[in-house]
Amino acid sequence: MGELTLRVAAPTDLGAVLEFWRESAENGSRPADTAAAVEALIARDPEALILAVDDGEIVGTVIAGWDGWRCHLYRLAVAPHRRRTGIGGRLLTAAEHRFRDLGGTRVDAMVLDANERAHGVWSAHGYRQQDDWSRWVKPLG
């Protein structure tokens, strides 16, 4: 292992990010990620997708989405062979720093209920499951 660095994704990272998510992210109940969607994210908000990189290999991601009103976290993922090493926490800290710089005051996160392995990092960083809200979804395709 080399030196872990955090940086925003560039358009040239697109293929590696998609491959990383196929291998490391929980994808079972959601539509597949597409190159067009990630390109649109980077074009709209070039600093939203934060990568953890070690020796040129992506070992973690988080999308720190800011819509001008709310702060949203998506796609926190860490490579299976690097879990429980602090990468997820570093990504969360970087995302929160970004939100504070943008004037954000509250952040929410998309966390699968069944992904119990991930609940620990969220809890350890002060996140709590909100019992009085439900997420409603509708596919647009």
Side-chain angles (χ1 to χ4, degrees), residues 13 18 90 99 112 121 140:
D13 294 313
L18 290 170
R90 287 187 59 188
F99 292 147
L112 292 170
V121 70
L140 294 176

Side-chain angles (χ1 to χ4, degrees), residues 35-99:
V38 180
E39 286 172 350
L41 169 68
I42 292 172
R44 181 186 174 281
D45 188 350
E47 296 182 5
L49 178 51
I50 302 169
L51 307 179
V53 180
D54 188 354
D55 280 338
E57 175 190 9
I58 297 172
V59 295
T61 65
V62 69
I63 297 173
W66 167 253
D67 63 12
W69 181 256
R70 297 278 190 252
C71 308
H72 306 282
L73 293 172
Y74 310 92
R75 307 304 273 152
L76 177 65
V78 175
H81 69 284
R82 297 294 296 271
R83 291 181 181 153
R84 303 194 58 80
T85 62
I87 293 171
R90 287 187 59 188
L91 287 163
L92 288 176
T93 298
E96 292 168 4
H97 181 77
R98 175 176 197 259
F99 292 147

Side-chain angles (χ1 to χ4, degrees), residues 48 100-101 104:
R100 285 185 189 96
D101 286 348

